[in-house]
Amino acid sequence: MSIPREAYQTLQSIVGTEWVSDDPAICEADRYCSLSSPSEEKRRPGCSIEPVSTEEVQAIVKVANRYKLPFVVTSTYYSAGTYCRKDDSILIDLKRMNKLEIDEENLYAIVEPGVVFSALQADLFKRGLCTFVPGCGGHASVVANTVNMGDAPLGWRYGLGYQRLLGVEWVLPDGEMLKMGSLSMSKDYFWGEGPGPDLRGLLRGCAGHQSRMGIITKIGVKVFPFVSEELEPEGWAFRSFIKLPPNRFKWYNIRFYSREDAINAMFELGRCEIALVVMTVPPIFRGVARTRGVGCGGFWEFWKDAGPKLNPKQMDLRVLLYGIGSDKRLEYEEKVLLDIVKEYGGSPREAPCRDETNFMAADAICANVVGGRFSSEVSYESINQAVRYSKVVDKITDEHRPPILQEYNSTDWVCPYELGYIAKMECLRMASVEDNYALQEWKNDCQDACAKGGAYALVPDNKVFGPIWGNYPEKEDKIRAAFDPNHVSAPG
Amino acid sequence: MQIKEKLTKIVGAENVSDDPEVLLSYSKDCSLSAPRMPNYVARPKNTDEVHGVVRLANENGIPVVPASSGIHFYGNTIPNLGGIVLDLRRMNKILEVDLYNKMVRVEPGVTWGQLQSEAAKHKMMGLCPLLPHPLKSVLTSHLEREPMLIPKFEYAGSLVTMEAVLPEGEVFRTGSACVPGFPDKSMAEGVNPGGPGYLSYNWLIQGAQGTMGVVTWAKVKMAPRPKIDKTLFIPFESLEDAIQLVYNVQRRMIGEECLIINSVNLAAILTKKWPQDYNNLRRILTPWTVILVLGGGWRRPEEKIEYEEDGLREAAAELHIPALPTSLPGLPGIERELPGMLRTAWPEKKTYWKFADKGACQDVFFYTTLNRTPDFVQVMNQVAAENGYCIDDIGIYIQPMEYGRSCHFECSFPYNPDDTDEVAMIRNLYAEAAETAMDMGGYFSRPYGVVVDMVYDKAASYTTALKKVKQLLDPNNIMSPGRLCF
Ligand SMILES: Cc1cc2nc3c(=O)[nH]c(=O)nc-3n(C[C@H](O)[C@H](O)[C@H](O)COP(=O)(O)OP(=O)(O)OC[C@H]3O[C@@H](n4cnc5c(N)ncnc54)[C@H](O)[C@@H]3O)c2cc1C
């Protein structure tokens, strides 16, 4: 099977012959356009195409509809779940669409899908502004990340992706154009909602639709006030960092001797509205950071000694104090932090005034460094839910260990956002390649426990959660049928 | 069985009416929208009863129009096609004060005064719009996305989750409130607005003016109430200068409530004795005032105010602003009174500030960016003058949003509702002002009255998509038909 000749020629006429290819070598490479494990499910695309404008994207989608060819879209290839699941798919790669505009005065940027966080951040720093950089790294597409996920520790001040989304230009699955927010009525991207009911509700829920509802060709994203001092980069990956101006920033690592104390301190930090980053530090993350550049063997060597010494009752917080706006602010924040730490019996330790992951990071994602396979149970809900649910996950993990590797229940990460109005919980678990099945079984058990205990998991299994969460899959199916009548947008 | 009997079975005889006198009060509001009588009014007391009424309406193809406040300003509870007005004021419980997550769960009938006095007991405050009417519902302020006075990004998206009776009668909870056992037996606490699944129902129902379902409770953000405050009234002759200060201050992430207001509105808000104080104040106030409340946080409040004052002084010095007054001429003690005023509803016993001058008021409001507001002021004045409206009577309120990223621009035209000529002039002025603002790029995210058609004609692709969604959620078009583009 292959893409009909006529359809292929039309695609060529849209983007030019050099920007579309059905060469098996290229298509085979694009079969693995996502980070997830190789699997039978991943089909080689029928062709791979790189449009440069919204008009080209729209024309391609119309061709897909005319010939009923499935399409899958990628901006920067870092998604775990997106790949062609059907034969003769068109893989639409948006990296050539990389225009970027910044409205410095009014704190927003207009980005096309090929713009990555590092590029945006570098331009913002020049203007005394800042954006969020996701935990997966500065090489991710701002568009793809914001509409699908958008989380990282800077979310303590900058929220999750959905909070930063403004006007949106969207090629729907049938090729029709939808413009949202202020863009619906003018050329401005500065406002996101409405008019009237907010159709950004079709774009993403807890996470995004992962290519199953057409293609976003441009968005406005909020950016944030920042300090005017320059941030100087130093070193080379894996040992690169940014030097933070010490009159504006101060890192603290704080050890609490009970989880309750750490959590209460976190709530109190939220009430006091201080800091730029607040999160727990899973010891295994620290282990990974310490063993950068030495490979997974080096990590496990280190962990063999460090892991068993962990005290499961302890919890460490990492806090980045933020002296924006006034020379005395940092001093104030420090006093408040230390008051809180004292009240909850923590031991504070000042950490070097530099940053490796939050502002620029090209190498932030460290999970794969430990080798083998990993899986994680992730949830965005309250800090309280994070604490309760991670305990449940820990218990389930013990039942699957071995073959799940010993991480001494030390991976449970609580990262609150928006001054604590919402929080991420991530419990990472690892196994060797041949024990991958154990992670799947563990995941199933977690999902069952989540359903029974009324927790809110990020990636719910529709069969388990559909009937108890208001039959949401049926509603999604109806919406998709209305907007994608030919069922071409990333089916399967 | 007749509809009235069926309604009686659901909500009880004393909570159903088809008495023309009762219906009359639901047929009109404080706006210029055309009146229309409903056929019935039903006053449910809980979700079950709302559910019963919506199902009945859906089975019989009868329009349902939800109403939560005791007063309405924009015509969006007038039953355009008759049917049942669902008066939700009996549902007025504060269901939960969630101090950990700094949120509160309210039924539709909870008013701002009610919420703020409860929140204050817990050293918290609801995120309040500018001096809401005492009968205004907290839930609808959030549902309608009214701008709040504190322009912190972290407070945005203030309506977090909700329970809604969807048009076909399903009781549905949005975001993480969908989990079984919520709120008492679940691990989730209803703080994630997204989902369930890949859609955000929360967003689809907000701003819908009752067309997508009946919201029976909502969980909304609160904020810690500052322990002490310092209020600044910074006077400006020119709006351009006021804006620069606001940009500068917000860039430093300083302060709590922050707004720009002209002398007409400020006088109306601060007048104690009408009309002498009002006229006097209008004379002595500068054309523009930036009101900024510095709030001492939960800990070390004095020190917080101290560093914020430092930052503010720096911000002002950059612009050569000579003084940062903490009082207003002729109003001793107002600086202490104002933060409290801004954190609750307008007092019940006083005529509402917007109506105090002439008895009624027509607002034109939209979003724009701060740097564009002077152009809008100029054009609003021009349109007003062309219509014979005295430009000195126009009230202007500019609410910076999210650290000054954009703003809500609100232009108020007080008028005498008993003067038919003036009403006709205002009607025309309103339409022209809205159209002109829209042509200049003013964004009407919450369209009402004559603005609705202007907006949806212009937002063609959005309108088409919106109609598709509405058709799926409300195939019989029973929820507030005739509203928005439905
Ligand atoms: C190990 C690992 C760690 C991660 N950590 C984080 C994290 O800390 N924070 C975080 O936010 N996310 C994280 N993610 C999730 C994900 O990788 C990111 O959200 C990332 O931004 C997605 O990759 P990308 O930006 O390269 O987008 P892509 O891979 O290009 O796309 C992501 C998804 O969006 C779709 N898509 C892409 N472009 C468009 C478009 N223009 N219109 C419509 N749909 C489009 C794709 O089809 C795909 O489904 C992580 C993922 C992995 C595998």
Side-chain angles (χ1 to χ4, degrees):
Chain A
M1 291 251 293
S2 63
I3 289 189
R5 212 63 229 150
E6 199 185 38
Y8 188 74
Q9 281 163 354
T10 315
L11 292 175
Q12 282 180 319
S13 72
I14 294 167
V15 292
T17 47
E18 68 275 40
W19 298 113
V20 58
S21 174
D22 57 0
D23 179 334
I26 287 178
C27 293
E28 183 61 18
D30 279 346
R31 179 172 175 180
Y32 302 103
C33 68
S34 109
L35 272 189
S36 61
S37 336
S39 82
E40 279 303 301
E41 218 193 357
K42 289 185 171 179
R43 317 312 286 247
R44 183 197 293 173
C47 74
S48 186
I49 188 164
E50 294 183 21
V52 76
S53 66
T54 301
E55 292 69 29
E56 289 186 5
V57 170
Q58 208 175 359
I60 294 165
V61 173
K62 289 208 162 140
V63 171
N65 274 276
R66 197 177 323 136
Y67 293 93
K68 307 228 176 349
L69 296 170
F71 66 85
V72 166
V73 58
T74 179
S75 289
T76 39
Y77 288 84
Y78 209 70
S79 149
T82 304
Y83 40 84
C84 300
R85 289 177 168 83
K86 302 270 176 202
D87 289 328
D88 298 336
S89 295
I90 305 173
L91 181 79
I92 307 176
D93 179 339
L94 302 173
K95 74 163 97 51
R96 289 175 70 217
M97 295 179 68
N98 59 2
K99 286 200 213 65
L100 159 65
E101 267 174 68
I102 294 171
D103 185 335
E104 182 172 338
E105 200 167 24
N106 300 307
L107 300 176
Y108 68 99
I110 304 170
V111 287
E112 289 188 340
V115 175
V116 299
F117 280 100
S118 309
L120 174 60
Q121 185 74 305
D123 273 9
L124 290 174
F125 279 165
K126 289 180 205 150
R127 297 167 164 85
L129 300 173
C130 184
T131 186
F132 158 101
V133 178
C136 58
H139 52 275
S141 151
V142 179
V143 170
N145 183 265
T146 309
V147 303
N148 282 296
M149 190 72 59
D151 92 81
L154 284 183
W156 175 254
R157 285 332 269 249
Y158 302 164
L160 277 157
Y162 57 80
Q163 288 281 48
R164 296 188 298 272
L165 197 55
L166 293 166
V168 174
E169 181 185 83
W170 184 357
V171 176
L172 293 168
D174 60 359
E176 289 304 312
M177 177 68 84
L178 171 56
K179 294 183 179 182
M180 305 204 281
S182 49
L183 188 66
S184 64
M185 292 167 56
S186 67
K187 291 193 165 63
D188 286 331
Y189 281 78
F190 77 98
W191 197 263
E193 307 140 4
D198 188 356
L199 288 183
R200 290 178 309 168
L202 299 180
L203 189 56
R204 60 169 287 168
C206 194
H209 55 72
Q210 305 258 336
S211 199
R212 279 177 290 175
M213 275 285 275
I215 302 177
I216 312 299
T217 44
K218 220 187 248 192
I219 61 169
V221 276
K222 301 176 187 179
V223 301
F224 298 88
F226 199 54
V227 301
S228 50
E229 286 83 355
E230 263 184 45
L231 305 192
E232 273 180 61
E234 209 170 283
W236 299 93
F238 285 93
R239 300 203 180 278
S240 61
F241 55 85
I242 281 173
K243 287 205 280 187
L244 299 173
N247 58 331
R248 299 288 175 206
F249 295 95
K250 199 173 252 191
W251 273 116
Y252 267 98
N253 291 327
I254 306 144
R255 171 143 302 166
F256 288 93
Y257 299 94
S258 84
R259 286 179 153 229
E260 287 66 34
D261 285 336
I263 296 300
N264 283 330
M266 229 185 291
F267 278 123
E268 189 62 6
L269 287 164
R271 288 180 206 114
C272 294
E273 302 192 344
I274 61 165
L276 182 57
V277 172
V278 171
M279 62 177 188
T280 68
V281 190
I284 205 163
F285 284 20
R286 191 162 277 158
V288 169
R290 292 232 177 104
T291 53
R292 275 179 179 209
V294 299
C296 53
F299 167 78
W300 287 108
E301 198 54 38
F302 166 82
W303 194 244
K304 198 169 61 182
D305 291 335
K309 289 188 198 135
L310 293 172
N311 176 351
K313 286 197 182 134
Q314 286 174 359
M315 192 178 237
D316 293 347
L317 289 195
R318 189 159 161 80
V319 176
L320 179 59
L321 299 176
Y322 191 29
I324 189 173
S326 158
D327 292 340
K328 286 193 190 151
R329 188 180 195 138
L330 193 63
E331 212 178 293
Y332 168 80
E333 293 212 343
E334 187 169 21
K335 283 185 193 164
V336 171
L337 173 72
L338 295 178
D339 286 349
I340 296 171
V341 169
K342 192 165 170 206
E343 198 167 311
Y344 291 101
S347 309
R349 195 168 50 79
E350 209 184 311
C353 201
R354 63 190 205 197
D355 185 77
E356 284 152 14
T357 56
N358 293 292
F359 293 102
M360 267 302 208
D363 57 349
I365 182 63
C366 46
N368 350 29
V369 174
V370 298
R373 295 270 184 268
F374 70 91
S375 179
S376 60
E377 185 61 7
V378 181
S379 156
Y380 297 90
E381 233 286 323
S382 61
I383 296 177
N384 283 328
Q385 186 202 281
V387 175
R388 290 180 209 141
Y389 188 38
S390 63
K391 270 192 198 151
V392 173
V393 173
D394 286 348
K395 203 160 160 259
I396 294 170
T397 312
D398 284 338
E399 289 158 15
H400 289 266
R401 209 189 321 264
I404 288 188
L405 296 172
Q406 263 298 357
E407 79 303 303
Y408 306 96
N409 291 342
S410 86
T411 71
D412 304 346
W413 185 26
V414 183
C415 195
Y417 302 129
E418 293 171 39
L419 298 170
Y421 286 113
I422 188 167
K424 172 180 179 162
M425 175 213 82
E426 181 160 5
C427 302
L428 197 70
R429 296 294 181 263
M430 289 153 292
S432 62
V433 175
E434 52 282 9
D435 293 329
N436 199 18
Y437 72 94
L439 289 172
Q440 191 51 52
E441 285 171 2
W442 167 81
K443 186 87 188 166
N444 294 343
D445 286 356
C446 288
Q447 295 257 313
D448 282 348
C450 175
K452 283 199 196 98
Y456 198 52
L458 173 63
V459 190
D461 176 339
N462 284 355
K463 284 199 208 82
V464 179
F465 291 91
I468 57 173
W469 286 3
N471 288 319
Y472 71 89
E474 277 174 28
K475 294 182 175 68
E476 279 168 14
D477 288 349
K478 272 197 205 169
I479 293 274
R480 216 170 287 136
F483 284 89
D484 184 7
N486 293 318
H487 206 49
V488 286
S489 194
Chain B
M1 229 192 308
Q2 295 296 305
I3 296 297
K4 186 175 175 190
E5 282 171 55
K6 289 183 179 166
L7 283 172
T8 302
K9 257 187 118 178
I10 299 166
V11 295
E14 65 285 16
N15 294 307
V16 179
S17 180
D18 58 358
D19 174 351
E21 236 173 82
V22 174
L23 299 184
L24 191 64
S25 65
Y26 291 91
S27 70
K28 54 187 184 214
D29 67 4
C30 308
S31 72
L32 296 170
S33 306
R36 171 72 155 91
M37 290 284 266
N39 302 83
Y40 310 95
V41 170
R43 304 194 308 127
K45 71 168 186 307
N46 57 32
T47 302
D48 281 351
E49 293 186 2
V50 173
H51 174 240
V53 175
V54 171
R55 273 188 52 181
L56 172 71
N58 193 44
E59 278 159 20
N60 293 278
I62 304 170
V64 182
V65 178
S68 300
S69 298
I71 185 161
H72 307 281
F73 296 92
Y74 308 122
N76 57 335
T77 53
I78 295 175
N80 291 346
L81 302 181
I84 305 164
V85 168
L86 209 51
D87 181 341
L88 300 164
R89 277 178 293 174
R90 285 176 71 217
M91 296 176 68
N92 61 357
K93 286 194 279 304
I94 296 176
L95 297 171
E96 179 194 2
V97 180
D98 176 354
L99 292 177
Y100 280 115
N101 298 309
K102 299 177 287 185
M103 292 184 195
V104 62
R105 204 151 54 82
V106 289
E107 289 189 329
V110 172
T111 58
W112 279 104
Q114 193 186 340
L115 171 69
Q116 296 295 39
S117 56
E118 181 61 31
K121 289 183 205 156
H122 304 278
K123 302 189 191 135
M124 299 297 285
M125 58 184 185
L127 300 167
C128 207
L130 178 64
L131 300 165
H133 192 281
L135 300 177
K136 174 79 196 172
S137 145
V138 172
L139 188 146
T140 55
S141 279
H142 287 280
L143 199 57
E144 289 289 279
R145 307 189 294 243
E146 287 179 6
M148 306 292 164
L149 288 166
I150 306 180
K152 295 185 189 176
F153 163 80
E154 297 88 336
Y155 295 170
S158 57
L159 197 166
V160 180
T161 47
M162 62 172 92
E163 178 182 81
V165 179
L166 299 181
E168 291 189 284
E170 180 185 353
V171 179
F172 186 79
R173 292 175 178 185
T174 64
S176 60
C178 74
V179 302
F182 178 84
D184 302 323
K185 297 195 181 86
S186 59
M187 284 194 260
E189 297 184 315
V191 306
N192 184 339
Y198 294 113
L199 303 172
S200 270
Y201 304 88
N202 215 31
W203 279 351
L204 297 176
I205 297 170
Q206 278 180 56
Q209 301 184 16
T211 58
M212 297 288 184
V214 183
V215 181
T216 49
W217 55 249
K219 189 154 182 171
V220 298
K221 289 181 179 175
M222 292 195 290
R225 203 179 179 91
K227 286 201 171 140
I228 53 171
D229 299 289
K230 182 155 197 172
T231 313
L232 294 113
F233 301 92
I234 307 154
F236 287 94
E237 290 297 326
S238 100
L239 177 57
E240 282 84 349
D241 294 344
I243 286 162
Q244 281 316 316
L245 179 71
V246 170
Y247 271 129
N248 260 10
V249 166
Q250 290 303 324
R251 225 16 100 82
R252 288 171 160 77
M253 297 169 75
I254 282 173
E256 303 297 316
E257 289 86 352
C258 176
L259 59 149
I260 306 173
I261 196 158
N262 78 347
S263 56
V264 175
N265 272 344
L266 189 55
I269 288 168
L270 299 180
T271 290
K272 297 219 156 106
K273 280 202 202 89
W274 284 85
Q276 49 291 30
D277 278 7
Y278 178 64
N279 292 329
N280 193 30
L281 275 173
R282 276 181 58 172
R283 222 169 358 89
I284 58 177
L285 290 171
T286 49
W288 301 96
T289 303
V290 171
I291 297 178
L292 177 66
V293 182
L294 305 182
W298 270 42
R299 288 173 186 257
R300 299 180 180 263
E302 289 83 7
E303 287 168 63
K304 173 153 191 251
I305 291 198
E306 201 183 306
Y307 90 67
E308 291 209 330
E309 272 187 304
D310 260 20
L312 176 60
R313 268 194 294 270
E314 241 176 66
E318 276 173 17
L319 302 168
H320 309 291
I321 293 170
L324 295 166
T326 51
S327 61
L328 274 178
L331 288 162
I334 191 65
E335 65 280 7
R336 286 188 298 281
E337 216 180 300
L338 195 80
M341 270 176 86
L342 293 180
R343 290 170 194 161
T344 191
W346 186 255
E348 272 169 50
K349 291 198 182 96
K350 271 177 91 178
T351 306
Y352 192 50
W353 63 279
K354 289 210 169 181
F355 301 155
D357 183 19
K358 298 189 181 173
C361 179
Q362 178 62 51
D363 293 336
V364 178
F365 52 83
F366 47 86
Y367 290 112
T368 180
T369 47
L370 280 166
N371 56 339
R372 285 191 276 177
T373 54
D375 294 344
F376 282 110
V377 171
Q378 201 186 349
V379 165
M380 290 297 114
N381 283 341
Q382 206 176 317
V383 175
E386 281 163 15
N387 277 275
Y389 189 90
C390 172
I391 61 170
D392 293 341
D393 290 347
I394 301 176
I396 293 182
Y397 157 50
I398 298 170
Q399 179 58 59
M401 313 281 290
E402 299 184 13
Y403 298 124
R405 199 176 51 70
S406 53
C407 67
H408 163 89
F409 181 96
E410 184 169 309
C411 198
S412 304
F413 301 102
Y415 68 94
N416 176 0
D418 301 324
D419 179 337
T420 43
D421 289 345
E422 199 171 332
V423 171
M425 180 263 282
I426 286 289
R427 206 181 277 284
N428 208 41
L429 166 57
Y430 170 43
E432 271 183 38
E435 197 165 3
T436 314
M438 207 174 293
D439 287 344
M440 287 172 64
Y443 175 55
F444 288 71
S445 133
R446 302 188 280 140
Y448 300 107
V450 291
V451 176
V452 170
D453 287 346
M454 297 181 199
V455 163
Y456 288 111
D457 284 350
K458 214 165 180 182
S461 71
Y462 200 84
T463 310
T464 309
L466 206 50
K467 285 182 175 171
K468 267 191 198 173
V469 174
K470 168 76 169 171
Q471 170 65 28
L472 293 174
L473 282 176
D474 185 9
N476 301 319
N477 197 16
I478 59 143
M479 288 304 313
S480 302
R483 185 113 45 244
L484 297 176
C485 55
F486 311 128

